[in-house]
Each structure stands twice: as C-alpha cells, then as structure tokens.
Amino acid sequence: MSDAPQNWAPRDPSASGSSGGPGSSEGPGSSGSPGKPGQKKGRTKRPRRTGWRRLFPTWRMLVGGFLGLALLLVGGFFAGYQLVEIPAANAGADAESNVYFYQDGTVLARDGEVNREKIKLSQVPDTVQQAVLAAEDRDFYHQPAVDVRAMFRAGWNTVTGKGKQGGSTITQQYVKNYYLGQERTVVRKAKEFFIAIKLNREQSKDQIFEGYLNTSYFGRNAYGIQAAAQAYYGKNVEDLTTAEGAYLASLLNAPSAYDVVARPGNKPAALSRWNYVLDGMVKEGWLDSGERSTTEFPVPGEAKPSTGLSGQRGYLVQAVEEYLTGNGIIDEETLATGGHRITTTLDKKKQDALVEAVEKNVMAKRSKDREADRNVRVGGASIVPESGEVVAMYGGIDYTQQYVNNATRRDYQVGSTFKPFVFTSAVANGSATQDGRRITPETYYDGTNKRTVQGAQGSTGYDPANEDDVDYGQITVRTATDKSVNSVYAQMAQDVGPEKVRETAVALGIPAKTPDLTASPSIALGPATASVLDLTEAYATLADHGRHRPYTLVDKVSKDGTEIELPDRKAEQTVTREAADTTTALLRSVVEGGTGSAAQAAGRPAVGKTGTAEEDKAAWFAGYTPDLATVVAVMGQDPDSGAQTPLYGALGLPRVNGGGVPAETWAAYTEAALRSSPAQEFDLETAPGSDEPQAPGDEENGTTGPATPDGSPSGASPSTPADTTPAPPTAPAPPGNDNGTGAGAGTTGNGTEGTTGGGTGGTDGTGGTNEGATGGDGGAGNGTGTEGGGGAPGENGDGGTGAFGGGFIEGVQSVGHPSG
C-alpha cells in the first residue's frame, strides 16, 4: 500500500461525457446553472404573454370567474331569500270605501278616501279574467313567480333604448301593489323578486290573481276592478261584458293614456291596446274568432263626480251607519275598516221626489232679506207601511254645511202630531170619559180654554191653554182633532190613563227612551221630542192597521263577498186593528176639511195630523196613504248658536204652521212618489159605534152617569147653559185661503172649517175658521155662541158685525191666517 495521496479530484463538468455519472439522469449541462452540483433538470417555463394577448383573459380566468360569480349569485340568492320576509300590507293596500247603494243598485255614496271595493275572484266573469291575463301575463297560471328571461329582456330593451319595460309577472305586480310601492329602485326590485317567490309558495295562483285585481289602479281614482267597473260603466263587475272587460284590462298598462272620454285623442292608442287584448284572448283559445269579429268597442261613460258626502248623501250615510251600529249588525270599529257593500232600502226616485218637494215648497221661499229665513231647517222621512222600509229621507240643506240630520235628531217637540196616539190608546183600551161615556170620534168633550183636567179624585191642577186662548165649548172628539184642541186631548189622556197612552205610543214605534215622553196628562200635547223618523214609523203602524215593524234602512250588507245577517223584522200586532183603523177614520176629516187640508193636493185618499212645537219652534205634518207614510217638519234653529228659534216671519209668513208649508211639501212629495201607482182606498175596520154620538155629560165634577138611552146627557155641563143642547156637526166645508180674503158663508153648527172670507157664524157654537179681513154677521140662535163668522157672538137672533176675521192655528184663533 503506498503512502502517497490518491489521485482524487472534483469532477470537471466540462469533461463529463454524454452519459452522466452513476445516479445521474441528466447531463451536467442540463441544469442551466454551472457550479451547482446535484441540481435536477426543471419543466420548461411558459413564455410570458406579450403585446395584444395581454388584453384577453385566459380560459382559466374565465372558468374561475364564472364559478366565482355563480357562487356569489347562489350565495346572494340564499342570503336574500333568508333575509327578505313577506311584509305587512302597505298603508293604502287594504284601504277601502264602504259603498252605499240605492235599492236598485245605483251607487248612493262612498264614505272613504280610497275608491276601492274588494271582491272575490268568483265574482269576476271568466272572460274578464281572461282579458286581464291576455293583457298582462298570459302564462300566469303555468309559469313561476318570476320570469327571469322576461326580466333580462326588459332590461336589455331599456338599455338599448326601446323603452322602459318592467318584465314583471302578475305575481310581481301584486307584490309591488300590495306589499311595497311604486318607486323604481334596485332595492325595491330585489325585494319584489324574493317576496314574489315566497308568496308563490304560500298562496295559490287564484289568491294572487284575486289580490292583483283588487289592488291595481285603473284610472279615474278607481282602485280594483269593481271600482273600475263602476267608474267607467256604472255597473258591478259581475255585469261586465267581454268587450268592457278587455277595455278595463287595457287600462292597466297606462290608465291616463287610454281614457277615451277624458282625452278623446287617446282613442287610436286605446283601440290598438283593446285589439291587442282581444287578439290575445283568441290566440290563447279563450275567445271564439267569430265572436271576436263582431265585438264592438265599448265606449265608457262620462267620468262622474266623486260620490262623497255632500248634499243629502252624508245624511243618508249617517242614518244608515247609525242603523247598522245601533242594531248590532256591525260595530263602529269594524264598519270603519271599510270594504262593506251596503244596499239600502232607499228608493232613488222617491228620494229625488222628496228633495224636490222640499226645495220648491220650503227652501225656494227663503229670502236673504228676511233674517228669520236663515233659521229654517227641514226634516223628512217616508216609510212603506207594509214593509217598514225607509224609501226617502231629507236631512238638511247640505251635509257639508249643516251636519245635524234633521230627520233623526230628537230635540224638537212633536206637538199635536202626538194626539192621534191618545185616541188610539182610548179605543185600544176601551176607555171612557169621567162620566162613563165610551170614547169615540163622536164623543163630546168640553173644549173650554184652560179647563182644569179632572181625574177620578177630582181636579189634577193641570189646566192647559188652547192656542190663542180660544174657548170651544162642547165639541166632539172629531172636531177637537180637526182643530187640535188642547183642553180636550189633555182630558182624554187623563181619562185613558197617561201610562196607557205612553205604552200605546211606544207600541206604535215611538222609542221608550224618547225625551219628555212622560206619563202625565200633558203627554197629549206632544212635549216629547221624537225624531221625524220615529214619528214616521209610528204613523206607518197606524197605516198598516196596527201591525208594527221596526223601520229598516238596509236591505243587504256584505264584505268580501260574504253576506252579513240582518235582524229579523217580523210584523207584530201591537195595537188592535180596530184601534188603528178608527184612528185613521178620525184623521180623514183633518185632511178633508181640517187643519191639514193642504194635503188634499196629493190627489189620493190620505189622512194626517198637523202639529206645532211650543213657541212655534217647529211645525209638523204627519200623514199617510194606504201605501206610504211620510212626515215633514220645518224647524227653527240659529245657525250660529245652534239654539232653537221661533219661526215667526219665516218664509214670508206671520207664523209657520203644520197645515202650511209642511202639509204642502207632504202633498207634493206624495203625489210625485206615487204618481206611477194607482190610488188605493183605505180598507178600514172601525170599532163598533164609532159614528154614534156620545153626548156631553158632567165631566167637571165627574159624578154624572152615562147618557140616557135617547142620547141626551143625564146632567148638564157647567160650561153650557141648561137650555142649550149642542147640535151635531155638519159636514166640513172647504178650508179658507192663506190671506183670509174673499166672501162666503161660514158653516153653521159647531165651528167646523168655514169657506174663505167672512160669513155667517154658526148657531150656538163657534163659527167658520178662515174668515176674511172683514167679519160677517154673527150667527142667529138661542143662547150665547162663541165667535161666529168672525163677528161678535150671536145673541138671540141678531148677530153683530165683527171688525176682522179670525182663523185657527192648531184649532185656536189667530188673525187672518189659515189653520195650522
């Protein structure tokens, strides 16, 4: 072994051969980095992109970007779906009007600010539904809640200048109408997208379509297709034709652009859109091509002014609402939510007739030069006796000017219109006078002014005055009714029993809670403050032979297509037919020759009663024919203070009384309201002996027995001389005129109505009522008569000549004035 160092040196890369050393797989020069032992050969490096190639993404970038975007969209969709909830309806979406209709279906009024009336989809004719689908979304029932392609197409068209297009399905439009708003923002559109998808999972297509039809705007302030049907064609949606439905569907695209009445220049565009809708219906197989070819464009009606609450509408709506809430049909809070369809019992022709009668006979007679005329108020109501339906009502000059409804207010005394209830009670209860004579129309009473009412125990201390303090002496109940004699009826109320009188009034229809309906003899004079409508109900009961039905103002009520039950209103015989019919017979002479003779102008059989409130603050006429009961009242009220005022000097008259303008208005209305129907006669069954005289007895002391068999009294009345027997009344003569002029003879006998002008007075009694400016001679006869023929009392044959004639108001003396 040698000690010399071995020949070992590093390998010279440059000297290496073509094949590397052991374990080497590459040549030394392949590393590309000399002097770096053991380095392996790497992959070939892609050359850099240079020049224009750098402007375009690689395929790897495209795929990555697409996948990233997809992940972003999917994540955004799920995030949006989770975060966006279906909200509550927007403020205006559920707002509806209560819609009130006349009995014939004509719209009476709407009481809400939003003209919308929701309906069920089943109420919309199939062809109308199909017209809307043809116009807005033909694939609605077969596509998802959103149409992505349509959205992109609409977006592209908007970007490329082809016009703004929504690309929304009916579901999306409904979401916009009901849950969101009309603003055009990305956020609103995104919400609309997600809500539509969720809604489509929670509601059926029919539910969504129904909501869409109820929330869409059709122009003319009409929200929903029912309001649109009324606004354009004056009919309910159920009655729309295919052509009309197609026109309304056309409006959804642009209401103001297609109203051919408001803007006649719109007709070409409207026709084009209308044809598009009909052609779409044919294409979808919803409309026969033959029917399409014969369909004519349905020109809509004129735009009508808002049916708000001005004029009579407000009074009528107020009365209907009080009826609904007062009878527990709908509570106030529910009614206020709106959406009710309320068909009233009001007859449009009769309603118009009542308004016209009031305008011509009362309001047209007012003058700005008369201070009293500014205080004039009028209330009126009319009821069909057989059904109890209120067919007409007058509440005031204008609801927006005078808020209080004069037909339903309960603060004016009804006066002598209450007296028939006293007589009805007398007959119904078989009542008798203090001396035992049965009370009938021919029963005599003492009509002395301020005569103290006598009770079973003697004087009651109540001594009512007759109007103008006139003494009538012994007169029959019939005459006392014609002249409205207070002293007679106060005594009659005592004879019957004040509590029984009150019970009868309530049975007829006067509310038991009526103010001042007090059981005392004064009840007969009408201090009770029943409303015009209350009084009409009571008189309607008399007209229907004593059968009472609570009045009704409502025929039908529904909401969202569901009808609301109304209370049962069966007729009830609350007073006997004999009592009611005998009262009707008694009231005939009031119209035929008494204080209500102006009612004869109705031109058909009629009865009635006049009335005057204390201090002449109101004048009434209540009357009826066999088929219609009506009450008219003229009231005085200061428009500034609201205080009740006398009607002296109003309408150019010294005094306003029930036989004047109220009776004239009643007659004008009744004639017009019943003009198209034949006149009916009263079918009466009066109480036995109603026409038999019941001669006077000694009521003053209440001790004399009933009349003797020959009809003469068993004792003399203190108010009549013993040698004088009152003669039975003769048939009444026609009433006097308004100014008391002219010449004619008064009737003889017991002070029935005289003819116009002065004349000969009656023997042993009162003379004619409507004497002229110069009185005639006093009546010739025995004993002492009261004012006869406007002259001085007749004294044993030769009467004196009076200085002036005296008329009667409510059966009492006045100067040169007709009976009231």
Side-chain angles (χ1 to χ4, degrees):
M1 165 178 243
S2 170
D3 294 329
Q6 297 187 14
N7 187 18
W8 188 265
R11 182 178 298 155
D12 183 1
S14 62
S16 60
S18 60
S19 59
S24 177
S25 60
E26 298 183 25
S30 66
S31 67
S33 297
K36 292 182 180 181
Q39 186 175 20
K40 298 182 179 180
K41 182 180 178 180
R43 290 178 293 181
T44 303
K45 186 175 181 181
R46 184 179 301 278
R48 290 185 177 182
R49 293 160 53 89
T50 60
W52 58 270
R53 290 186 179 87
R54 289 181 299 173
L55 300 176
F56 296 95
T58 66
W59 69 270
R60 288 187 179 88
M61 294 171 64
L62 289 174
V63 171
F66 177 78
L67 292 175
L69 179 62
L71 290 173
L72 181 64
L73 290 174
V74 171
F77 174 84
F78 281 104
Y81 189 84
Q82 293 296 324
L83 293 174
V84 177
E85 299 290 341
I86 298 178
N90 62 47
D94 277 331
E96 295 181 75
S97 297
N98 288 321
V99 187
Y100 299 81
F101 301 90
Y102 286 105
Q103 197 171 43
D104 64 359
T106 306
V107 175
L108 189 164
R110 301 177 188 275
D111 71 346
E113 295 180 0
V114 176
N115 182 15
R116 176 187 287 121
E117 182 184 348
K118 291 184 180 179
I119 43 87
K120 294 287 187 183
L121 185 61
S122 58
Q123 295 175 251
V124 184
D126 290 341
T127 56
V128 177
Q129 295 184 38
Q130 292 157 354
V132 173
L133 294 173
E136 295 297 307
D137 191 355
R138 299 176 187 180
D139 296 323
F140 170 70
Y141 278 96
H142 311 293
Q143 70 178 4
V146 293
D147 187 344
V148 177
R149 287 184 301 174
M151 292 176 64
F152 278 113
R153 181 174 63 249
W156 175 255
N157 288 337
T158 301
V159 170
T160 56
K162 295 182 179 179
K164 291 184 178 180
Q165 298 181 21
S168 298
T169 64
I170 279 179
T171 303
Q172 289 173 276
Q173 292 182 59
Y174 171 52
V175 168
K176 177 182 65 175
N177 294 339
Y178 191 74
Y179 295 105
L180 301 174
Q182 303 302 315
E183 67 275 6
R184 292 174 176 264
T185 64
V186 174
V187 173
R188 195 272 293 166
K189 198 68 178 177
K191 288 182 178 180
E192 174 190 301
F193 179 87
F194 290 113
I195 295 171
I197 294 173
K198 283 192 171 184
L199 191 68
N200 200 54
R201 296 172 62 90
E202 295 185 10
Q203 293 186 9
S204 69
K205 289 287 189 180
D206 280 351
Q207 288 175 308
I208 293 172
F209 192 32
E210 178 182 298
Y212 172 74
L213 292 175
N214 280 322
T215 56
S216 296
Y217 182 63
F218 289 82
R220 293 192 181 183
N221 194 37
Y223 291 84
I225 197 164
Q226 167 62 20
Q230 287 288 346
Y232 288 90
Y233 294 107
K235 58 174 65 174
N236 291 324
V237 67
E238 297 96 325
D239 302 321
L240 289 173
T241 65
T242 301
E244 292 166 345
Y247 176 71
L248 294 183
S250 302
L251 294 169
L252 289 165
N253 183 256
S256 61
Y258 299 133
D259 190 335
V260 299
V261 175
R263 299 178 179 85
N266 289 345
K267 191 164 186 179
L271 275 171
S272 176
R273 182 67 179 174
W274 179 73
N275 285 320
Y276 166 79
V277 173
L278 290 177
D279 291 341
M281 294 177 69
V282 173
K283 183 178 180 180
E284 296 295 325
W286 296 329
L287 181 64
D288 181 80
S289 57
E291 182 181 352
R292 164 71 181 93
S293 64
T294 60
T295 302
E296 296 182 356
F297 183 75
V299 179
E302 294 284 344
K304 298 179 181 178
S306 174
T307 52
L309 301 181
S310 62
Q312 294 301 304
R313 290 188 291 266
Y315 300 119
L316 300 177
V317 167
Q318 182 189 67
V320 170
E321 290 182 346
E322 289 175 356
Y323 177 83
L324 291 170
T325 57
N327 286 277
I329 300 170
I330 306 174
D331 62 74
E332 291 186 24
E333 184 176 352
T334 301
L335 187 61
T337 63
H340 297 88
R341 291 169 55 94
I342 303 163
T343 302
T344 71
T345 60
L346 295 164
D347 183 307
K348 191 175 189 308
K349 291 182 179 179
K350 290 183 174 62
Q351 176 66 30
D352 292 343
L354 181 56
V355 173
E356 183 178 2
V358 172
E359 291 296 323
K360 287 185 176 180
N361 291 277
V362 185
M363 309 312 291
K365 295 180 179 180
R366 296 184 306 163
S367 172
K368 293 181 179 179
D369 298 330
R370 286 190 295 266
E371 182 68 19
D373 283 356
R374 66 192 293 268
N375 299 335
V376 172
R377 303 287 182 271
V378 181
S382 189
I383 291 177
V384 176
E386 189 176 4
S387 64
E389 295 178 347
V390 179
V391 292
M393 179 185 292
Y394 187 92
I397 187 171
D398 190 317
Y399 185 73
T400 62
Q401 299 177 33
Q402 298 174 4
Y403 180 75
V404 178
N405 189 338
N406 295 323
T408 58
R409 64 190 303 171
R410 292 189 175 113
D411 56 349
Y412 281 87
Q413 294 179 346
V414 299
S416 293
T417 57
F418 195 92
K419 287 174 180 172
F421 307 154
V422 180
F423 180 77
T424 302
S425 189
V427 178
N429 291 287
S431 302
T433 64
Q434 294 294 312
D435 60 354
R437 292 170 292 116
R438 184 164 52 86
I439 299 174
T440 74
E442 304 307 322
T443 300
Y444 279 82
Y445 266 93
D446 188 348
T448 301
N449 181 52
K450 294 186 179 179
R451 177 186 178 277
T452 304
V453 173
Q454 301 296 309
Q457 306 302 320
S459 173
T460 63
Y462 178 56
D463 56 349
N466 295 328
E467 191 80 12
D468 290 343
D469 294 323
V470 174
D471 282 320
Y472 291 92
Q474 291 290 333
I475 54 174
T476 64
V477 169
R478 187 182 305 279
T479 303
T481 305
D482 293 347
K483 298 180 182 299
S484 216
V485 181
N486 290 340
S487 58
V488 170
Y489 267 89
Q491 181 63 56
M492 190 190 303
Q494 179 64 37
D495 293 347
V496 176
E499 185 58 45
K500 290 181 180 179
V501 172
R502 185 182 188 280
E503 290 171 359
T504 299
V506 172
L508 290 171
I510 300 298
K513 62 181 180 182
T514 300
D516 295 324
L517 188 64
T518 306
S520 67
S522 65
I523 193 174
L525 309 188
T529 56
S531 71
V532 169
L533 188 55
D534 295 335
L535 198 61
T536 309
E537 179 179 326
Y539 271 70
T541 303
L542 292 174
D544 197 33
H545 313 291
R547 290 191 296 264
H548 174 250
R549 291 174 183 80
Y551 78 82
T552 180
L553 272 160
V554 177
D555 183 57
K556 184 170 60 176
V557 183
S558 63
K559 182 171 185 178
D560 297 334
T562 302
E563 197 162 323
I564 298 173
E565 185 177 358
L566 298 176
D568 186 16
R569 296 180 48 260
K570 291 183 179 179
E572 183 181 355
Q573 192 79 42
T574 53
V575 298
T576 65
R577 173 164 186 164
E578 285 184 349
D581 286 1
T582 305
T583 301
T584 298
L586 175 69
L587 295 177
R588 270 178 168 163
S589 59
V590 176
V591 172
E592 292 174 353
T595 57
S597 58
Q600 294 177 19
R604 57 182 61 224
V607 304
K609 184 69 186 75
T610 56
T612 303
E614 186 177 4
E615 297 181 358
D616 287 354
K617 293 177 180 178
W620 301 70
F621 185 81
Y624 51 91
T625 64
D627 44 357
L628 195 63
T630 306
V631 175
V632 176
V634 178
M635 309 163 179
Q637 183 177 23
D638 188 299
D640 298 325
S641 66
Q644 295 184 14
T645 59
L647 290 167
Y648 301 131
L651 308 177
L653 301 170
R655 301 167 76 171
V656 177
N657 55 79
V661 288
E664 293 164 4
T665 304
W666 184 95
Y669 161 71
T670 302
E671 188 279 327
L674 300 177
R675 188 177 299 161
S676 60
S677 61
Q680 297 184 31
E681 295 289 342
F682 286 103
D683 177 23
L684 303 180
E685 296 179 7
T686 57
S690 295
D691 297 328
E692 297 175 3
Q694 297 288 321
D698 186 3
E699 288 189 344
E700 187 71 30
N701 299 315
T703 58
T704 304
T708 58
D710 64 359
S712 62
S714 57
S717 170
S719 63
T720 305
D723 60 348
T724 302
T725 302
T730 60
N737 59 21
D738 285 353
N739 55 24
T741 62
T747 59
T748 60
N750 290 283
T752 55
E753 289 276 16
T755 56
T756 60
T760 302
T763 57
D764 296 331
T766 59
T769 56
N770 285 347
E771 286 71 33
T774 300
D777 293 334
N782 296 322
T784 301
T786 59
E787 291 266 326
E795 296 184 10
N796 299 320
D798 295 324
T801 299
F804 57 88
F808 282 92
I809 294 182
E810 291 301 341
V812 295
Q813 188 179 26
S814 66
V815 178
H817 202 280
S819 298

